[in-house]
């Protein structure tokens, strides 16, 4: 199984770009999860699946994986261009698209 190196996407409640700049090295689940016989909680014997290592850059994450002999796969998503607008543009008299409530 390959470890995955990726940049996390923002959640549905997040509109900004915070916490999206770092890269994550995530290990796949190696063993099946099963319910604990006493409490009924879901457990697994695989402790690597609990690890999520954070890095400042993709190169640091790749170097770490190579140094420790971890087979990895890099997943990149394209950068979305930001539309820079001012608040005053909402009330401009020469708007290009109609403004409706």
């Amino acid at each position: 199984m390959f470890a995955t190196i990726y940049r996390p996407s923002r959640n549905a409640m997040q509109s900004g770009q915070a916490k999206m700049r770092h890269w994550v090295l995530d290990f796949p689940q190696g063993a099946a999860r099963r319910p604990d016989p006493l409490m009924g909680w879901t457990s697994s014997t695989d402790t690597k699946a609990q690890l999520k290592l954070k890095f400042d850059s993709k190169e640091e994450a790749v170097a770490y994986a190579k140094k420790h002999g971890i087979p990895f796969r890099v997943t990149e998503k394209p950068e979305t261009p930001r539309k820079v607008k001012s608040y005053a543009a909402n009330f401009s008299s020469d708007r290009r698209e109609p403004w409706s409530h």
Side-chain angles (χ1 to χ4, degrees):
M1 298 294 282
F2 289 96
T4 307
I5 298 174
Y6 64 95
R7 281 182 41 192
S9 60
R10 62 182 183 207
N11 61 22
M13 300 299 293
Q14 184 179 8
S15 62
Q17 300 291 325
K19 298 183 181 178
M20 292 179 50
R21 301 283 181 214
H22 61 272
W23 288 79
V24 176
L25 184 126
D26 193 8
F27 293 95
Q29 186 173 347
R33 293 184 181 192
R34 53 186 164 71
D36 184 59
L38 180 63
M39 297 297 290
W41 296 337
T42 304
S43 64
S44 175
T45 57
D46 183 25
T47 57
K48 279 189 179 181
Q50 299 173 6
L51 288 177
K52 284 191 178 183
L53 302 175
K54 295 181 182 178
F55 298 93
D56 290 332
S57 68
K58 176 178 72 169
E59 290 78 21
E60 289 179 15
V62 169
Y64 179 86
K66 286 182 179 179
K67 179 181 176 183
H68 294 285
I70 301 168
F72 64 92
R73 179 177 327 162
V74 177
T75 305
E76 293 190 53
K77 59 182 176 185
E79 285 283 328
T80 56
R82 293 184 49 135
K83 296 179 184 177
V84 180
K85 296 191 293 185
S86 67
Y87 181 70
N90 291 330
F91 306 103
S92 176
S93 61
D94 57 343
R95 289 178 55 100
R96 294 193 177 181
E97 60 268 339
W99 188 44
S100 62
H101 298 358

